[in-house]
């Protein structure tokens, strides 16, 4: 059984909700990533993605937005000692490509992405998660 801690990306940079979306974009560029966990008062309060910045701010002309304005507040996460197969299935069910990873003290210790799972050689869990993520939501427009 493979654990999340074996394949996650550790040492993740944390953004603050009152930082600008420009700050978030620079942080993502520097870290070569598409998402940042958002923390406030030593707690995880959201996630912001490059897509959040584009769709929720730039596409609407809101170039002076803060991370809080565009972040997703409802946070799904996993624990570092969770089983990769279980987490991959959850990612598919939730239709997410990455999850923050917490330790047992609920402190952020990393990020688990679909890519991390695939690189680790966990082919079937990655395939199952991608199938779930790619499945259209009921009532969603087809593209």
């Amino acid at each position: 059984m493979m654990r999340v801690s074996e394949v996650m990306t550790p040492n993740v940079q944390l953004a603050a909700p009152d930082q600008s979306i420009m700050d978030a974009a620079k942080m993502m560029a520097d870290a070569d990533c598409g998402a940042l966990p958002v923390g406030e008062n030593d707690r995880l309060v959201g996630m912001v993605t490059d897509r959040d910045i584009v769709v929720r701010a730039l596409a609407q002309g809101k170039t002076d937005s803060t991370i809080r304005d565009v972040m997703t507040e409802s946070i799904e996460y996993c624990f570092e000692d969770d089983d990769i197969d279980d987490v991959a299935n959850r990612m598919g069910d939730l239709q997410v490509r990455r999850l923050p990873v917490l330790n047992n003290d609920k402190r952020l210790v990393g990020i688990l992405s679909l890519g991390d799972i695939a690189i680790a050689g966990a082919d079937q869990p990655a395939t199952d998660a991608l199938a779930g993520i790619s499945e259209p939501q009921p009532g969603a427009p087809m593209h």
Side-chain angles (χ1 to χ4, degrees):
M1 178 165 57
M2 193 179 303
R3 298 285 175 203
V4 168
S5 60
E6 296 175 61
V7 300
M8 71 181 191
T9 301
N11 305 321
V12 176
Q13 194 165 17
L14 198 62
D18 295 326
Q19 287 181 275
S20 71
I21 58 171
M22 181 76 74
D23 290 339
K26 286 179 184 174
M27 291 168 69
M28 287 179 199
D30 290 345
D32 190 27
C33 67
L36 295 170
V38 182
E40 184 174 49
N41 299 323
D42 203 30
R43 284 288 180 228
L44 195 59
V45 295
M47 288 285 289
V48 63
T49 66
D50 47 6
R51 188 173 193 285
D52 292 333
I53 293 169
V54 171
V55 173
R56 296 179 181 169
L58 299 180
Q60 297 179 28
K62 300 176 182 176
T63 57
D64 60 345
S65 297
T66 65
I67 292 172
R68 185 183 314 275
D69 296 332
V70 301
M71 73 182 192
T72 299
E73 292 182 23
S74 59
I75 307 163
E76 296 291 338
Y77 57 87
C78 63
F79 289 99
E80 64 184 342
D81 57 357
D82 286 346
D83 176 62
I84 271 299
D85 292 345
D86 295 339
V87 173
N89 286 331
R90 246 183 81 221
M91 290 171 78
D93 292 345
L94 295 168
Q95 295 192 313
V96 297
R97 297 178 189 276
R98 57 186 75 83
L99 286 174
V101 180
L102 306 181
N103 65 16
N104 289 329
D105 295 326
K106 289 202 171 181
R107 300 288 180 240
L108 182 70
V109 294
I111 291 255
L112 179 69
S113 72
L114 189 57
D116 293 330
I117 296 169
I119 289 169
D123 294 334
Q124 194 56 48
T127 301
D128 293 346
L130 184 57
I133 291 165
S134 301
E135 190 173 298
Q137 294 277 346
M142 299 292 281
H143 295 269

